[in-house]
Amino acid sequence: MSESDRPRHFIQQIIDEDNRTGKWGAWPDGRPRVHTRFPPEPNGYLHVGHAKSIFLNYGLAEEFGGRFNLRFDDTNPTKEDQEFVDSIIRDVRWLGARWPGMRDDDPSAGVLYASDYFQQMYDWAVELIRKGRAFVCDQTAAQIREFRGTLTAPGRPSPWRDRPIDESLDLFERMRDGEFPDGTRTLRAKIDMASPNLNLRDPVMYRIVHATHHRQGDRWCVYPMYDWAHGLEDSIEGITHSICTLEFEIHRPLYDWFIRAINDGRTEDGSGPWGRRIHHPQQIEFARLSLNYTVMSKRKLLLLVKRGLVSGWDDPRMPTLSAMRRRGYPPESLRELCARAGVAKFKGTTEIQLLEHCVRDHLNRVAPRAMGVLRPVRVLIENWGEHGPADRVEWLDAVNNPEDPAAGSRRVPFSGELFIDQDDFAETPPPKFWRLFPGNEVRLRYAYLIRCTGVEKDAAGRITALRCTYDPATRGGDAPDGRKVKSTLHWVSARHALTAEVRLYEHLFNTPDPEASDDDVPDAEGTPAAAADAARAEAWLARLNPNSLTTIDDARVEPMLADAAIGAVYQLERLGYFCVDSDSGAPASSAAGDRRLVLNRTVSLKDSWGKQQSKG
RNA sequence: UGGGGAUUAGUGUAACGGUAGCACGACUGACUCUGGAUCAGUUAGUCUAGGUUCGAAUCCUAGAUCCCCAGCCA
């Protein structure tokens, strides 16, 4: 489906309406202003859920000829780190988003940081104190919690709520200067301790944190809270549509309250006592992406990494963007996934099959084809020597991509000793098995028709080789007498094939919803309640799929792969798409035979035979 | 028990008072030098109960279910 005939989601409709009414004014080029942003906190790695937000925000800016900012919401120095900043920039760039000031020679050019606005935020906070809309509170965290009340009972005002403005001003300045230890005081907005929305019960705007910020160093001893900071960041950048996830819906009144409080006493032309009004963006909430058979929370992903249950943040089984990149998922397929999953306010779960469909759909069009066998069985062509030298090699033409004629063709070596896949042979074929079995004739892709004449076994009865004859008249794969075969197999020449390590992946979890309620997880008899709770809390770990990774270390692939670049994705015909993993050695045509080659199975091909088999 | 949201085939998403459609999945069949791809077809839905209306997924009333909120996290 093209971008234009996809139904317009509710945010596009909001923007259509805004543009119709001219709500946000226009850019210098006359187009209505649309300015979005992606505001990650640099405290972890990005996952597919973030990709949806990135594509939504960037896509909207692109669609309407607007702008998109990448801005780090780095307001909590205790959790953030430059490592995460770097990885996030890498991931957002990989997805294809563009922002003002972006450059190829400097990944971080044009990237924005909330911490650059700290002084402005501080000044506005002072303004709110002066206006009597904020105060310094000396309550401890526990007292604040106690005074906040509950979901059903109203809170009580802090005893410091009505302290003189000058006193708050003085204290706030000294908080900033580092005079007080962490946790001793906060700056709070003076709103409504009886509000049914707990976020409005005099929320904390600043807390004292003596920590080194990854960009600001030790310059600040007070750090703004999300609710105070976020709308101001958006305002400063001129964001029009501040798009966030559903859980912030109940924070929207606060988002608006803060900006209105600043604008109180300000006017459009700056003639008011507090100067010119500041920009007031519109917050819009949508449902984040969630996928089945995986988990998406940073905490859980971190636990998988910390416990060594995966090899790292970029373990190809992880739902992180770095993992998906390593696994070979093209960014275009992620964009397509997000587009197809849609944008709405219903919190649903998208089936992982949709992602796999998008990956196959894209890769089918662009991935060059190659042949490789995962579990090799030797095939001896008995009559190879009867039609020429027994050690001869024939180089046969193979199409690089049947979906793309421009991809051209290559030559693959054929000889009297080959490998085919175990799955393609059966000594006693089950019903509807069309592949190789004694007496049957099949085609070797782009090569010859062969017929199985016998099976060689070792003393233990294991098959060591298949004896076959080939029909020299069928070179290229077609029989001059017009006879048909039911099956075409992939193969490699034993002498020429490269050995590769292949990593096969399945879903990380073996149930669609690993985070489902854990009521069905039995408690061990006699465990203390606390231990039982802990066990229950991590019951999702018990749902990890023990077969999520299968490593094959003696797969054989055609020699052309010696030069495959790291990250390149190929289709191994009839098997699936495979990506050259970063654990591989560098491509080296000179030392082709020695290259360590590691392939990740990005996704298998649809396999109706396998499906039929597993149904029994 | 307070407040804020949500609910349409198995899954996700359209329809904005006028024929409930699309995609993925599943299942058939055709075709095929990938049991791939492609093509054709089948399957299956408006949370419930009332009401308004010529006509309701859409408007009204009542109820059900699910999610979010009591961090000096974001």
Side-chain angles (χ1 to χ4, degrees):
Chain A
M1 189 184 290
S2 79
E3 217 59 58
S4 53
D5 55 12
R6 238 191 276 269
R8 297 184 74 64
H9 57 70
F10 81 102
I11 299 181
Q12 287 171 312
Q13 292 179 26
I14 288 172
I15 297 177
D16 285 341
E17 179 63 10
D18 289 349
N19 292 348
R20 198 182 61 75
T21 61
K23 177 172 179 178
W24 305 104
W27 297 111
D29 70 1
R31 305 183 72 153
R33 233 164 60 75
V34 173
H35 201 160
T36 58
R37 103 264 97 117
F38 174 63
E41 182 187 19
N43 69 345
Y45 286 78
L46 259 30
H47 54 63
V48 250
H50 297 109
K52 177 173 176 181
S53 176
I54 293 162
F55 285 131
L56 208 209
N57 281 289
Y58 174 66
L60 253 13
E62 195 181 36
E63 173 187 352
F64 291 99
R67 290 184 195 160
F68 165 83
N69 290 355
L70 172 58
R71 176 180 76 225
F72 285 97
D73 201 8
D74 52 349
T75 58
N76 185 351
T78 63
K79 295 194 169 178
E80 298 156 8
D81 197 274
Q82 188 62 38
E83 175 198 353
F84 299 126
V85 171
D86 297 339
S87 78
I88 289 170
I89 292 174
R90 193 180 317 128
D91 289 344
V92 177
R93 292 180 72 107
W94 175 65
L95 290 180
R98 320 264 325 156
W99 54 81
M102 189 175 188
R103 275 201 273 120
D104 287 339
D105 60 341
D106 175 7
S108 61
V111 172
L112 303 172
Y113 299 85
S115 53
D116 286 341
Y117 313 144
F118 281 173
Q119 184 60 48
Q120 175 66 264
M121 292 178 193
Y122 178 86
D123 294 342
W124 279 327
V126 169
E127 180 176 325
L128 290 208
I129 298 172
R130 291 217 160 92
K131 287 174 173 171
R133 312 289 290 265
F135 65 99
V136 170
C137 180
D138 297 1
Q139 286 188 308
T140 62
Q143 287 169 326
I144 288 181
R145 193 180 318 121
E146 187 196 334
F147 278 58
R148 185 156 35 226
T150 68
L151 292 177
T152 52
R156 290 129 59 206
S158 159
W160 312 99
R161 196 173 203 262
D162 291 315
R163 94 154 111 214
I165 286 175
D166 286 341
E167 195 175 304
S168 281
L169 249 16
D170 173 62
L171 256 13
F172 187 44
E173 192 177 321
R174 290 160 61 195
M175 283 165 62
R176 178 200 61 188
D177 294 340
E179 252 184 65
F180 311 116
D182 289 6
T184 52
R185 281 182 237 267
T186 57
L187 182 73
R188 293 228 258 163
K190 202 183 287 188
I191 307 182
D192 177 8
M193 290 307 289
S195 172
N197 179 349
L198 301 236
N199 297 114
L200 262 20
R201 319 245 260 230
D202 290 6
V204 172
M205 295 164 65
Y206 279 92
R207 73 283 210 190
I208 300 172
V209 180
H210 292 267
T212 302
H213 186 276
H214 61 101
R215 300 192 80 242
Q216 298 291 328
D218 297 324
R219 218 178 119 209
W220 293 91
C221 300
V222 289
Y223 286 90
M225 298 286 290
Y226 171 86
D227 287 307
W228 164 245
H230 203 85
L232 306 184
E233 298 161 21
D234 289 338
S235 177
I236 288 166
E237 295 177 12
I239 299 303
T240 53
H241 304 271
S242 176
I243 298 166
C244 61
T245 46
L246 253 22
E247 68 269 27
F248 291 103
E249 203 151 19
I250 199 164
H251 292 248
R252 182 161 17 105
L254 235 198
Y255 185 104
D256 292 329
W257 189 94
F258 280 126
I259 294 181
R260 288 199 186 110
I262 291 170
N263 277 336
D264 188 18
R266 292 168 177 263
T267 56
E268 219 48 72
D269 61 5
S271 64
W274 298 96
R276 189 185 293 274
R277 297 176 74 84
I278 67 167
H279 172 67
H280 191 153
Q282 178 184 2
Q283 176 177 307
I284 302 170
E285 309 84 14
F286 74 102
R288 62 157 40 102
L289 177 71
S290 60
L291 289 177
N292 61 12
Y293 291 100
T294 190
V295 296
M296 217 77 102
S297 90
K298 279 181 189 171
R299 207 199 101 244
K300 287 182 172 140
L301 296 177
L302 176 65
L303 195 63
L304 293 175
V305 173
K306 282 215 300 222
R307 294 214 183 161
L309 297 166
V310 293
S311 66
W313 286 98
D314 65 347
D315 184 304
R317 293 168 290 181
M318 294 279 273
T320 55
L321 295 178
S322 49
M324 291 183 165
R325 177 170 54 235
R326 180 171 176 185
R327 181 160 172 170
Y329 288 178
E332 294 89 342
S333 66
L334 264 28
R335 184 169 185 152
E336 186 62 18
L337 166 75
C338 294
R340 291 195 192 208
V343 177
K345 295 190 74 158
F346 175 65
K347 208 170 162 184
T349 303
T350 298
E351 292 178 331
I352 195 100
Q353 286 95 323
L354 182 61
L355 168 61
E356 291 169 352
H357 168 82
C358 293
V359 173
R360 287 189 187 105
D361 188 51
H362 188 261
L363 257 14
N364 179 46
R365 279 177 276 131
V366 304
R369 313 285 129 125
M371 289 196 285
V373 304
L374 263 26
R375 296 177 174 88
V377 180
R378 195 170 297 271
V379 170
L380 303 171
I381 307 296
E382 297 177 299
N383 57 340
W384 187 243
E386 296 168 14
H387 302 277
D391 63 349
R392 78 182 188 280
V393 174
E394 292 185 10
W395 289 81
L396 303 164
D397 285 322
V399 172
N400 283 334
N401 185 350
E403 306 293 320
D404 176 15
S409 64
R410 67 187 186 286
R411 314 270 271 175
V412 290
F414 188 93
S415 66
E417 189 176 338
L418 313 166
F419 289 116
I420 65 168
D421 247 311
Q422 259 173 38
D423 287 350
D424 286 336
F425 175 80
E427 195 170 9
T428 51
K432 290 195 177 163
F433 186 87
W434 309 333
R435 279 114 94 143
L436 195 63
F437 54 86
N440 192 39
E441 186 174 51
V442 299
R443 173 168 34 236
L444 295 181
R445 181 92 158 143
Y446 300 126
Y448 291 97
L449 264 37
I450 62 168
R451 185 180 300 278
C452 180
T453 56
V455 174
E456 292 186 359
K457 296 182 179 179
D458 63 15
R462 284 183 301 249
I463 294 174
T464 54
L466 308 176
R467 308 204 68 89
C468 296
T469 56
Y470 84 114
D471 177 351
T474 59
R475 182 179 163 123
D478 288 310
D481 62 4
R483 73 181 189 276
K484 301 286 184 198
V485 291
K486 197 85 167 112
S487 186
T488 299
L489 309 186
H490 58 275
W491 54 274
V492 292
S493 166
R495 241 162 81 195
H496 303 87
L498 260 40
T499 299
E501 176 181 329
V502 176
R503 299 172 183 167
L504 305 177
Y505 303 108
E506 290 174 29
H507 300 152
L508 226 203
F509 289 86
N510 51 26
T511 62
D513 184 5
E515 301 176 277
S517 105
D518 299 320
D519 297 343
D520 54 334
V521 177
D523 291 339
E525 291 279 338
T527 13
D533 277 355
R536 193 183 299 273
E538 290 182 6
W540 60 278
L541 282 171
R543 298 175 172 131
L544 275 169
N545 177 5
N547 303 315
S548 60
L549 169 63
T550 303
T551 302
I552 295 176
D553 42 36
D554 61 345
R556 309 297 168 90
V557 297
E558 66 176 87
M560 177 262 289
L561 261 355
D563 291 324
I566 288 186
V569 185
Y570 291 83
Q571 182 194 110
L572 293 187
E573 295 213 37
R574 303 208 307 136
L575 296 176
Y577 298 95
F578 293 79
C579 171
V580 181
D581 188 76
S582 48
D583 285 346
S584 303
S589 29
S590 53
D594 295 337
R595 181 191 192 190
R596 183 187 183 212
L597 187 60
V598 179
L599 299 175
N600 295 313
R601 184 173 67 189
T602 308
V603 65
S604 67
L605 250 29
K606 284 211 283 189
D607 176 12
S608 52
W609 169 248
K611 186 189 280 183
Q612 192 178 321
Q613 289 302 286
S614 59
K615 274 193 300 194

